[in-house]
Amino acid sequence: MVYIRDIALPDFPLLLAPMEDVSDPPFRAVCKANGADLMYTEFISSEGLIRDAAKSRKKLDVFDYERPIGIQLFGSDVDTMGECARISTVAGPDLIDINYGCPVKQVACRGAGAALLRDIPKMVEMTAAVVRNTHLPVTVKTRLGWDENTLNVEEVAERLQDVGIEALTVHGRTRVQMYKGDADWRLIAKIKENPRIKIPIFGNGDIDSPQKALEYKNRYGVDGVMIGRASIGYPWIFREVKHFVATGELLAPPTVEERVAMCRMHFEKSLEWKGERAGIFEMRRHYAHYFRGLEGAKQWRMRLVETGSVAEVQAILEEIMAAEPVLVG
Ligand SMILES: Cc1cc2nc3c(=O)[nH]c(=O)nc-3n(C[C@H](O)[C@H](O)[C@H](O)COP(=O)(O)O)c2cc1C
């Protein structure tokens, strides 16, 4: 077992990465159904939350079947982050996560996300403020450093543990790298080797197959891995990794029937949580992923993204099931 205070996770837990506009409750439902052990909300702007912006408020929605679930916050102001830890705690998650990794300009250039990697004293102060303002465990997600000349994540791990964080996830890239190049997990392994570090360390970046997950587990000694992009339209990645780590065997890929059923569940959850209009619209970004590699995927997707009718989406999904397209890619 891996513990984040009293949250018991299985050995080598698989975490669903927080992903803006992706890891909302409908998406989390399909990931949970496939074995994700710990999930996070999309990041929530502390400025938005404090202003009571509807978009930020809505992201606080967490459901019992999702547990354990963490709410992820980002921001540039220490007091606002502390206040938001308090607001988020009332929403009833199992933990609060702080984002010190977001590289995008609108976040990092406003002093939030990965920008804190350039100001460790402020990062420490902000973390302490969040810890002080919640009774829940606080975790952090960050990157290796700002750029290749400031790879400070080892120091970050120690200092944040000292002010009370209870788990750390590291994405093996710098802010400057954004998503380019390959993730480098060597520094993540060094954090794990540090005898002062007692909290769970989770590795993140480029896990896209069961083989890679096991290889990285063995090579870098992490307590678990966080999976992001590979889960989009392919939540089976969680059960596939679990099965491979436990048995050394690869599961057969999902059948057309399973793909349609999962996509339908995602769609229905989307309608339920977002209402019909947004539910239909926001589901459009997922279809290409669900049917990737299937013969005729492009045509199915085009029809799915063009319709504004629930009944028609359902009918097209039925058609895909009946056509039983073969896997070509
Ligand atoms: C569409 C998208 C949205 C993301 N949003 C967030 C976010 O809200 N919070 C966060 O900490 N990281 C965010 N990330 C980064 C991921 O959590 C993860 O660190 C990154 O994708 C690397 O993992 P992967 O190679 O498994 O995808 C996002 C990534 C993507 C692709």
Side-chain angles (χ1 to χ4, degrees):
M1 297 283 240
V2 171
Y3 283 92
I4 302 177
R5 196 186 302 172
D6 52 0
I7 304 171
L9 302 171
D11 277 339
F12 197 60
L14 306 181
L15 284 60
L16 169 64
M19 287 183 283
E20 189 190 19
D21 290 336
V22 178
S23 63
D24 53 16
F27 181 70
R28 298 200 299 262
V30 294
C31 291
K32 187 75 183 177
N34 282 283
D37 295 304
L38 173 60
M39 307 193 294
Y40 294 91
T41 62
E42 309 163 65
F43 65 5
I44 303 178
S45 157
S46 55
E47 308 291 334
L49 206 51
I50 216 108
R51 268 191 281 113
D52 208 23
K55 190 172 168 221
S56 303
R57 278 263 158 203
K58 180 112 176 114
K59 289 183 183 172
L60 291 176
D61 278 2
V62 293
F63 301 92
D64 273 340
Y65 65 80
E66 301 188 286
R67 295 191 187 285
I69 171 101
I71 286 180
Q72 191 190 58
L73 299 173
F74 74 95
S76 59
D77 182 72
V78 171
D79 293 336
T80 307
M81 283 291 279
E83 183 54 27
C84 285
R86 204 193 307 260
I87 297 170
S88 305
T89 302
V90 178
D94 300 281
L95 58 85
I96 306 284
D97 187 75
I98 314 174
N99 177 315
Y100 293 137
C102 184
V104 304
K105 268 197 192 138
Q106 303 90 304
V107 173
C109 294
R110 290 193 190 148
L116 277 305
L117 282 164
R118 296 172 109 178
D119 189 347
I120 305 299
K122 183 172 176 188
M123 181 195 268
V124 169
E125 199 191 337
M126 184 178 281
T127 308
V130 171
V131 170
R132 245 190 342 266
N133 279 284
T134 180
H135 66 277
L136 298 171
V138 174
T139 64
V140 160
K141 176 164 178 277
T142 190
R143 290 186 173 230
L144 301 176
W146 181 263
D147 61 20
E148 60 186 335
N149 301 312
T150 52
L151 298 172
N152 50 8
V153 73
E154 287 174 88
E155 178 192 349
V156 163
E158 287 202 1
R159 295 193 58 184
L160 298 189
Q161 177 182 266
D162 289 346
V163 290
I165 69 162
E166 297 187 57
L168 175 69
T169 300
V170 181
H171 176 187
R173 288 187 175 86
T174 62
R175 186 274 166 177
V176 167
Q177 276 180 295
M178 308 290 281
Y179 289 91
K180 289 194 282 283
D182 293 328
D184 181 348
W185 288 40
R186 285 173 299 179
L187 280 183
I188 310 177
K190 285 185 79 178
I191 300 172
K192 260 313 285 178
E193 285 161 13
N194 178 350
R196 272 204 66 219
I197 295 291
K198 308 291 180 211
I199 57 175
I201 302 297
F202 302 121
N204 169 240
D206 300 351
I207 297 296
D208 58 4
S209 69
Q211 294 93 324
K212 195 162 184 178
L214 183 59
E215 184 190 327
Y216 277 33
K217 171 185 192 284
N218 294 336
R219 193 185 305 163
Y220 300 110
V222 289
D223 293 293
V225 293
M226 176 181 275
I227 301 176
R229 290 166 294 178
S231 67
I232 303 178
Y234 203 85
W236 299 277
I237 187 81
F238 295 103
R239 72 164 196 202
E240 289 182 356
V241 170
K242 267 180 192 277
H243 190 79
F244 189 69
V245 170
T247 66
E249 287 166 12
L250 288 172
L251 282 175
T255 61
V256 171
E257 201 177 337
E258 284 174 303
R259 284 176 191 249
V260 171
M262 199 60 64
C263 182
R264 183 180 290 137
M265 174 179 169
H266 193 163
F267 178 57
E268 285 168 0
K269 290 274 178 196
S270 217
L271 296 174
E272 206 176 289
W273 188 64
K274 301 177 183 181
E276 192 167 312
R277 219 180 127 81
I280 291 175
F281 182 76
E282 291 182 16
M283 192 60 202
R284 291 179 181 165
R285 64 177 72 118
H286 293 280
Y287 295 125
H289 299 287
Y290 274 108
F291 301 115
R292 193 186 315 146
L294 291 183
E295 192 178 24
K298 202 170 162 198
Q299 282 83 343
W300 300 119
R301 190 191 74 92
M302 269 161 53
R303 287 179 56 200
L304 284 163
V305 301
E306 274 163 12
T307 179
S309 139
V310 172
E312 201 172 333
V313 169
Q314 295 285 22
I316 298 168
L317 292 177
E318 284 295 326
E319 265 185 64
I320 300 176
M321 184 113 92
E324 290 186 28
V326 291
L327 203 54
V328 288

